[in-house]
Amino acid sequence: MKATKTYGLSEERFESLIGTLLRTGVILAAAVVLAGGALYLAKYWRVKPDYRIFRGEPADLRSVSGIFQDTVGWHARGVIQFGLLLLIATPIARVAFCVAAFASERDWLYVTTTLIVLAILIYSVSSA
């Protein structure tokens, strides 16, 4: 009897890796937001907010490149926004990992379906 060759990861290993990816992403995002919050409080802890006037986010925090520049410059709001970007990127990374895992299993129907989902996610995040 000929042994069949199996491809890819075992189901338990796959679930373990996805769990680790999600936990790591959320913990990293929380740590970055916490660091940004600490920076923000260190600088503005005495400022009393005026809630009668609404001020939206500055223009530099409305684009990914602006957020990266503020993060590199250790601007508190930029660091907080970067942490939120990491939080948003975590499930997107999960879907990308699933594409790779399904490709290693040579399950082309799931690869195609997951690539469509990944494209929709990337489009929805980048078009906003």
Side-chain angles (χ1 to χ4, degrees):
M1 186 180 237
K2 185 177 178 183
T4 59
K5 186 173 181 182
T6 59
Y7 299 101
L9 303 169
S10 69
E11 188 173 338
E12 295 83 21
R13 180 75 177 139
F14 179 73
E15 289 176 4
S16 173
L17 287 172
I18 287 203
T20 302
L21 173 73
L22 293 174
R23 272 190 303 278
T24 303
V26 170
I27 290 169
L28 182 62
V32 170
V33 169
L34 182 65
L39 284 172
Y40 187 84
L41 287 176
K43 186 172 183 179
Y44 298 108
W45 69 278
R46 288 189 179 205
V47 176
K48 294 193 182 217
D50 184 9
Y51 292 117
R52 294 176 291 173
I53 300 171
F54 175 76
R55 291 181 187 90
E57 288 297 320
D60 58 334
L61 294 178
R62 294 182 190 171
S63 68
V64 175
S65 63
I67 292 170
F68 283 135
Q69 289 173 355
D70 277 7
T71 302
V72 170
W74 285 98
H75 297 118
R77 286 182 171 184
V79 175
I80 293 169
Q81 290 284 74
F82 182 68
L84 295 176
L85 283 179
L86 287 174
L87 189 62
I88 291 169
T90 300
I92 296 172
R94 178 202 187 276
V95 174
F97 177 77
C98 286
V99 169
F102 290 139
S104 74
E105 294 175 0
R106 299 183 180 179
D107 192 342
W108 306 118
L109 176 64
Y110 281 119
V111 168
T112 305
T113 305
T114 311
L115 278 173
I116 292 169
V117 171
L118 183 61
I120 292 169
L121 285 171
I122 291 172
Y123 174 76
S124 66
V125 168
S126 64
S127 67

